[in-house]
Amino acid sequence: MKNYGKWYVINGVKQYVHIISENSANPLLVYLHGGPGDAALPLMEHFNSDLAKKYTLIIWEQRGAGKSYYPFEENEGITIATFISDLKVLVLKLLSEWKKEKVCLMGHSWGSIIGMEFIKRYPKLIEYYIGVGQVICSQEMFTASRTYILEHSSDPKIRQRIASIDTSFRQEKWYNDLMYFMNQLIKTEGSLYGKKSYASFYPYFVRSKNYSLRDCLHRIKGSKQSIERLCQEVALVDFTQYTSFEVPIILIEGEQDYHVSEKTAFAFYQQLNSPKSYIRMKKAAHFPQWTRAADFNQIVNELEIPLTNAENYLEV
């Protein structure tokens, strides 16, 4: 098995890509991590290397995040469109190097925003798209998260503050409000199934042979700067008006995901007029690819690509 890292200069910025491959004839699967800024190489390598049985797995550390960290310039335009442009350059480089015509794309959470925008613009480059913890409408997402927190918190002070937060995140202290909101969601187990924190993920970063302590520090810095630059734009994301795409769409969602509303994702799937599949994973929330890794890997490796817009639903 090939397992190695490679640096690319993408739109003038040096960015890291990790490649895991058993067979160069396998299709390319490009993984788009969440966040923004939450680079995930150690987790993907530990939990999802089995995907290399069917695919050449491409793990991209996005600009300003993880191993691709650099401090954003004050006047540097960092928008969702920046990452779509970066992804296009990367995909074209990969297709040329691996002598392929298309890639498969998997987007998780924030990465699913990049993924959906990308398949809208460049469908001819995509074999099919897999969304995990798929963002459909940010304001519906925040509404569902708020409702969940209020239902699972008994502290009146917490409930009062959560109820009052403006989820456009344009208020003066919006970053503090966002961090408080997300921390309460995590503490009430609406994000990581059965856990009140992300601490169980941390050892994989510290012990990774491909992540130094410097990379771990950069991941923290990259997450903060990416949220600061992108959160307000993310709060405006809304794909509910789109009902038809030129590529098959497969959504894999944790049944207990209140970080990104599973119910909103399912409603979106139901209205799609494109080839589509929906896999709902029980005993999982926002991170089924890591909390139920063996099942997730098997699902992805055994995917039957939908050819019609007929209902194609599986619960596991």
Side-chain angles (χ1 to χ4, degrees):
M1 177 186 288
K2 295 180 179 178
N3 188 328
Y4 63 97
K6 187 170 183 178
W7 293 93
Y8 291 89
V9 176
I10 300 175
N11 290 326
V13 174
K14 192 177 178 184
Q15 301 185 40
Y16 182 86
V17 170
H18 202 85
I19 299 164
I20 307 174
S21 178
E22 285 191 2
N23 186 340
S24 62
N26 286 344
L28 301 177
L29 176 63
V30 181
Y31 180 79
L32 310 175
H33 66 68
D38 285 347
L41 169 59
L43 296 174
M44 287 299 294
E45 188 174 21
H46 179 83
F47 289 107
N48 306 114
S49 289
D50 273 359
L51 295 178
K53 292 177 179 178
K54 179 177 178 179
Y55 304 92
T56 290
L57 179 60
I58 310 293
I59 307 166
W60 170 39
E61 302 261 288
Q62 299 160 24
R63 72 159 61 209
K67 294 181 77 70
S68 300
Y69 173 78
Y70 69 96
F72 293 149
E73 298 288 341
E74 187 174 339
N75 61 350
E76 186 176 359
I78 301 293
T79 66
I80 293 172
T82 306
F83 294 86
I84 296 166
S85 177
D86 284 355
L87 180 57
K88 184 184 180 186
V89 172
L90 175 60
V91 166
L92 291 175
K93 287 178 181 288
L94 292 169
L95 291 175
S96 176
E97 289 178 11
W98 291 84
K99 297 179 172 54
K100 307 286 187 183
E101 294 184 0
K102 296 183 178 183
V103 303
C104 308
L105 207 56
M106 179 187 289
H108 174 241
S109 196
W110 148 259
S112 75
I113 297 174
I114 304 172
M116 289 288 278
E117 287 289 353
F118 194 85
I119 65 172
K120 280 167 49 187
R121 302 183 195 196
Y122 308 110
K124 289 182 170 53
L125 298 176
I126 304 301
E127 193 71 40
Y128 50 87
Y129 170 71
I130 304 169
V132 184
Q134 178 68 51
V135 177
I136 300 299
C137 174
S138 292
Q139 288 308 309
E140 287 187 23
M141 171 183 78
F142 289 128
T143 296
S145 297
R146 191 199 310 268
T147 299
Y148 176 86
I149 297 168
L150 293 175
E151 288 175 350
H152 290 80
S153 179
S154 59
D155 187 322
K157 290 183 179 179
I158 293 174
R159 291 170 56 82
Q160 182 178 14
R161 182 168 178 189
I162 289 295
S164 69
I165 289 175
D166 176 2
T167 56
S168 70
F169 296 110
R170 295 185 178 276
Q171 59 272 34
E172 183 180 356
K173 296 183 178 180
W174 70 266
Y175 184 85
N176 291 338
D177 282 346
L178 174 63
M179 292 299 101
Y180 185 85
F181 189 97
M182 296 312 301
N183 284 336
Q184 293 306 317
L185 180 64
I186 294 165
K187 287 178 181 179
T188 52
E189 302 183 17
S191 183
L192 181 57
Y193 183 79
K195 303 288 186 181
K196 297 181 182 295
S197 80
Y198 292 161
S200 60
F201 287 152
Y202 301 161
Y204 299 105
F205 287 87
V206 176
R207 297 171 187 163
S208 172
K209 65 181 181 180
N210 291 307
Y211 245 57
S212 65
L213 289 177
R214 183 169 178 264
D215 292 330
C216 292
L217 178 61
H218 282 171
R219 186 184 182 278
I220 295 169
K221 290 182 176 181
S223 176
K224 185 175 188 296
Q225 71 171 0
S226 298
I227 291 169
E228 288 174 339
R229 291 296 185 96
L230 291 157
C231 181
Q232 292 172 344
E233 186 180 9
V234 168
L236 299 174
V237 167
D238 186 355
F239 294 114
T240 54
Q241 64 182 301
Y242 298 100
T243 59
S244 182
F245 294 82
E246 294 179 46
V247 301
I249 293 179
I250 300 106
L251 299 182
I252 305 176
E253 306 294 326
E255 184 179 45
Q256 302 299 317
D257 190 350
Y258 294 95
H259 187 135
V260 172
S261 172
E262 186 272 333
K263 292 180 175 60
T264 300
F266 187 65
F268 175 79
Y269 156 78
Q270 289 181 303
Q271 73 177 13
L272 276 177
N273 292 318
S274 305
K276 61 184 181 180
S277 293
Y278 194 95
I279 297 100
R280 177 180 282 135
M281 299 190 70
K282 293 184 174 183
K283 296 184 178 180
H286 193 53
F287 304 95
Q289 72 274 40
W290 302 325
T291 60
R292 290 190 58 192
D295 295 321
F296 180 89
N297 294 337
Q298 183 177 357
I299 288 167
V300 175
N301 283 341
E302 296 178 359
L303 276 177
E304 293 185 11
I305 307 310
L307 301 176
T308 74
N309 64 351
E311 293 286 321
N312 192 2
Y313 172 84
L314 177 66
E315 195 169 272
V316 295

